[in-house]
Amino acid sequence: MAYVINDDCIACGACMEECPVEAIIAGDDKYTIDADKCIDCGACAGACPVDAPVEG
Ligand code: SF4
Ligand code: SF4
């Protein structure tokens, strides 16, 4: 399993700095998570101001 970023994402970038395995990919409108890299730690969810990363 991996976390996924839902459509609430405002592309602020806060989650990227928290991910220990660099699984988060920047985007213009929305960030995404590489499911092959994500280790399901939840750090991105803790850093997100809008609770966009959710367990997939
Ligand atoms: Fe990175 Fe952890 Fe979020 Fe997966 S759950 S994208 S490993 S911070
Ligand atoms: Fe999107 Fe939340 Fe990550 Fe900001 S911290 S880029 S709103 S998922």
Side-chain angles (χ1 to χ4, degrees), residues 1 6 8 10 14 16-17 21 28-29 31 33-34 43-44 47 52-53:
M1 295 298 289
N6 69 24
D8 291 341
I10 55 172
M16 237 177 149
E17 296 170 21
V21 294
D28 289 339
D29 301 321
Y31 280 37
I33 291 171
D34 182 340
C44 51

Side-chain angles (χ1 to χ4, degrees), residues 5 9-15 31 48-50 52-53:
I5 295 175
C9 177
I10 55 172
C12 73
C15 55
Y31 280 37
C48 182
V50 295

Side-chain angles (χ1 to χ4, degrees), residues 3 18-21 23-24 33 37-45:
Y3 271 63
E18 299 302 321
C19 182
V21 294
I24 298 172
I33 291 171
K37 287 187 183 173
C38 178
I39 57 171
D40 224 13
C41 73
C44 51

